[in-house]
Amino acid sequence: MIDFTEATCAHRDVTVEASCGTGSIQLIVPQGWAVRIDGASTNTAHISNKATAPADPSSPTLTIVGHPRAGRIKIKQPRRRR
Protein backbone atom coordinates (compact mmCIF):
# COMPACT_ATOMS: atom_id res chain seq x y z
CA MET A 1 0.00 0.00 0.00
CA ILE A 2 1.20 3.49 -0.87
CA ASP A 3 -0.63 6.17 1.09
CA PHE A 4 -0.34 9.77 -0.17
CA THR A 5 -2.92 11.21 2.25
CA GLU A 6 -0.29 12.82 4.52
CA ALA A 7 2.10 13.69 1.67
CA THR A 8 3.33 17.19 0.96
CA CYS A 9 4.10 17.43 -2.73
CA ALA A 10 6.02 20.32 -4.27
CA HIS A 11 5.43 19.03 -7.81
CA ARG A 12 2.30 19.49 -9.92
CA ASP A 13 2.75 16.14 -11.69
CA VAL A 14 3.73 12.89 -10.01
CA THR A 15 4.21 9.62 -11.92
CA VAL A 16 4.04 6.24 -10.21
CA GLU A 17 5.13 3.16 -12.13
CA ALA A 18 3.57 0.12 -10.50
CA SER A 19 3.93 -3.52 -11.48
CA CYS A 20 2.89 -6.68 -9.74
CA GLY A 21 2.77 -10.37 -10.51
CA THR A 22 0.04 -12.15 -8.56
CA GLY A 23 -0.26 -9.66 -5.69
CA SER A 24 -1.95 -6.32 -5.42
CA ILE A 25 -0.97 -2.69 -5.05
CA GLN A 26 -3.24 -0.16 -3.39
CA LEU A 27 -2.69 3.58 -3.83
CA ILE A 28 -4.55 5.97 -1.52
CA VAL A 29 -4.72 9.58 -2.69
CA PRO A 30 -6.11 12.59 -0.81
CA GLN A 31 -9.32 14.33 -1.76
CA GLY A 32 -8.63 16.91 -4.47
CA TRP A 33 -5.79 15.07 -6.20
CA ALA A 34 -6.44 14.18 -9.83
CA VAL A 35 -5.62 10.63 -10.93
CA ARG A 36 -4.84 9.67 -14.49
CA ILE A 37 -4.18 6.16 -15.81
CA ASP A 38 -1.47 6.16 -18.48
CA GLY A 39 -2.72 5.08 -21.91
CA ALA A 40 -0.27 2.17 -22.02
CA SER A 41 -1.95 0.73 -18.92
CA THR A 42 -5.57 0.84 -20.06
CA ASN A 43 -5.47 -2.38 -22.04
CA THR A 44 -5.48 -4.39 -18.81
CA ALA A 45 -8.63 -4.98 -16.79
CA HIS A 46 -6.81 -5.18 -13.46
CA ILE A 47 -6.50 -1.47 -12.71
CA SER A 48 -9.41 0.17 -10.90
CA ASN A 49 -9.65 3.87 -10.13
CA LYS A 50 -12.14 4.68 -7.35
CA ALA A 51 -10.66 8.15 -6.76
CA THR A 52 -13.46 10.00 -8.51
CA ALA A 53 -13.96 13.05 -6.28
CA PRO A 54 -13.62 16.41 -8.09
CA ALA A 55 -10.02 17.50 -8.56
CA ASP A 56 -8.69 20.69 -7.00
CA PRO A 57 -6.80 22.68 -9.68
CA SER A 58 -4.08 23.58 -7.14
CA SER A 59 -3.45 19.93 -6.16
CA PRO A 60 -1.08 17.48 -7.86
CA THR A 61 -2.02 15.13 -10.67
CA LEU A 62 -0.95 11.52 -10.07
CA THR A 63 -0.27 9.55 -13.25
CA ILE A 64 -0.27 5.77 -12.85
CA VAL A 65 1.74 3.63 -15.25
CA GLY A 66 0.60 0.14 -14.30
CA HIS A 67 1.77 -3.29 -15.35
CA PRO A 68 -0.20 -5.91 -13.43
CA ARG A 69 0.15 -9.46 -14.72
CA ALA A 70 -2.24 -11.59 -12.70
CA GLY A 71 -2.48 -9.05 -9.87
CA ARG A 72 -4.49 -5.89 -9.30
CA ILE A 73 -3.78 -2.18 -8.91
CA LYS A 74 -6.45 -0.24 -7.01
CA ILE A 75 -6.55 3.53 -6.59
CA LYS A 76 -8.90 5.02 -4.01
CA GLN A 77 -9.46 7.96 -1.70
CA PRO A 78 -9.89 7.71 2.06
CA ARG A 79 -13.42 7.54 3.36
CA ARG A 80 -14.89 10.84 4.40
CA ARG A 81 -15.28 11.26 8.13
CA ARG A 82 -18.77 11.97 9.43
Side-chain angles (χ1 to χ4, degrees), residues 20-26 45-48 68-74:
C20 60
T22 58
S24 64
I25 298 171
Q26 184 173 10
H46 300 302
I47 298 176
S48 67
R69 290 191 180 149
R72 170 177 216 87
I73 297 173
K74 183 177 182 180

Side-chain angles (χ1 to χ4, degrees), residues 6-32:
E6 300 283 328
T8 302
C9 186
H11 302 284
R12 295 281 306 135
D13 296 303
V14 177
T15 301
V16 172
E17 186 164 346
S19 62
C20 60
T22 58
S24 64
I25 298 171
Q26 184 173 10
L27 299 161
I28 303 173
V29 298
Q31 299 288 333

Side-chain angles (χ1 to χ4, degrees), residues 47-78:
I47 298 176
S48 67
N49 181 10
K50 302 291 185 183
T52 57
D56 179 349
S58 64
S59 294
T61 297
L62 185 67
T63 301
I64 308 298
V65 180
H67 307 288
R69 290 191 180 149
R72 170 177 216 87
I73 297 173
K74 183 177 182 180
I75 303 118
K76 68 178 199 168
Q77 292 167 318

